Amino acid sequence: NAGVTQTPKFQVLKTGQSMTLQCAQDMNHEYMSWYRQDPGMGLRLIHYSVGAGITDQGEVPNGYNVSRSTTEDFPLRLLSAAPSQTSVYFCASSDPRGSGGYTFGSGTRLTVV
Amino acid sequence: GEDVEQSLFLSVREGDSSVINCTYTDSSSTYLYWYKQEPGAGLQLLTYIFSNMDMKQDQRLTVLLNKKDKHLSLRIADTQTGDSAIYFCAESIIGGSQGNLIFGKGTKLSVKP
């Protein structure tokens, strides 16, 4: 099993550009989430989904959009990149019928210049 | 609101025991987790404890939960240089952002040979 796959691993954007961070899981997990990790800030929840067709905002949703058309995929879209969005982004998935522990992808390191 | 607190740094000598502490605020937490993050990598679930347990042991890892004080600890016996990483405490909340985790800012464990 691949687990949670994130692409790309690294990305540099110019201010104002848009892009989509891809996330796919092959464990048939209902729950998926996007977190950003910044130095000294820990992990902060951006958006999450409890199933296909259902998404909701987390702690820091501004500037990001998500959709969940399938169980497997949960892309994160940056609408107009800003330097404040320079961060490491992690996608995670979970089976709510289990212990609830999330499986994380290896992350996307994004730099906005 | 929900909050998880951890000390930011811990330094130990190889072979000693490490104890990483965490406090949380939401008494309705069902599961509490410990994640490990090595440099440049995603988060790896180390262990978890259900809220009706006081202790869980898994090889070199011992988790202690004091629900009265809302205190969680992770003890690593015979700490090795390979244990050097950032350790995150996290709680899951029922009734809140369902299925999502609230993370502490992480404790950086440095193991000196």
Side-chain angles (χ1 to χ4, degrees), chain B residues 10 12 18 20 76 79 83-87 107-111:
Chain B
L10 177 65
V12 301
S18 307
I20 302 171
I76 305 173
T79 312
D83 295 322
S84 293
I86 301 176
Y87 291 81
T107 299
K108 184 174 184 179
L109 174 64
S110 298
V111 182

Side-chain angles (χ1 to χ4, degrees), chain A residues 31 33 37 40 48 99-102, chain B residues 31 33 35 37 42 99-100 105:
Chain A
Y31 289 177
S33 297
Q37 184 178 29
Y48 67 98
S99 66
Y102 270 80
Chain B
Y31 287 97
Y33 306 87
Y35 282 84
Q37 185 181 33
N100 284 292
K105 290 184 170 49

Side-chain angles (χ1 to χ4, degrees), chain B residues 66-108:
Chain B
N66 182 329
K67 283 197 73 174
K68 175 176 171 292
D69 294 337
K70 296 179 187 169
H71 183 266
L72 182 74
S73 68
L74 174 69
R75 178 177 181 269
I76 305 173
D78 187 24
T79 312
Q80 303 297 306
T81 54
D83 295 322
S84 293
I86 301 176
Y87 291 81
F88 291 91
C89 171
E91 60 174 346
S92 68
I93 308 295
I94 287 292
S97 300
Q98 187 175 19
N100 284 292
L101 303 183
I102 308 298
F103 285 89
K105 290 184 170 49
T107 299
K108 184 174 184 179

Side-chain angles (χ1 to χ4, degrees), chain B residues 38-56:
Chain B
E38 296 179 351
L43 276 72
Q44 171 196 358
L45 179 63
L46 271 183
T47 187
Y48 64 92
I49 188 167
F50 190 49
S51 58
N52 68 354
M53 297 169 64
D54 298 324
M55 185 182 82
K56 181 178 181 181

Side-chain angles (χ1 to χ4, degrees), chain A residues 3-113:
Chain A
V4 178
T5 303
Q6 290 185 238
T7 57
K9 291 191 183 304
F10 301 94
Q11 182 71 48
V12 179
L13 289 179
K14 293 182 178 179
T15 297
Q17 285 185 316
S18 61
M19 80 160 293
T20 300
L21 279 61
Q22 302 291 343
C23 175
Q25 53 93 7
D26 61 359
M27 298 171 284
N28 202 33
H29 284 171
E30 290 183 48
Y31 289 177
M32 296 186 74
S33 297
W34 277 101
Y35 291 86
R36 59 178 288 174
Q37 184 178 29
D38 301 292
M41 301 293 291
L43 281 88
R44 293 182 291 171
L45 181 65
I46 304 172
H47 285 284
Y48 67 98
S49 169
V50 299
I54 307 168
T55 64
D56 207 345
Q57 296 180 351
E59 180 186 357
V60 288
N62 291 341
Y64 307 95
N65 273 357
V66 291
S67 59
R68 185 95 180 271
S69 55
T70 66
T71 300
E72 293 78 19
D73 300 297
F74 191 44
L76 178 72
R77 296 184 191 83
L78 279 70
L79 309 172
S80 177
S84 61
Q85 293 179 304
T86 294
S87 187
V88 181
Y89 292 85
F90 288 101
C91 178
S93 73
S94 170
D95 180 355
R97 295 163 296 179
S99 66
Y102 270 80
T103 300
F104 280 80
S106 57
T108 295
R109 186 173 295 273
L110 176 68
T111 302
V112 183
V113 298

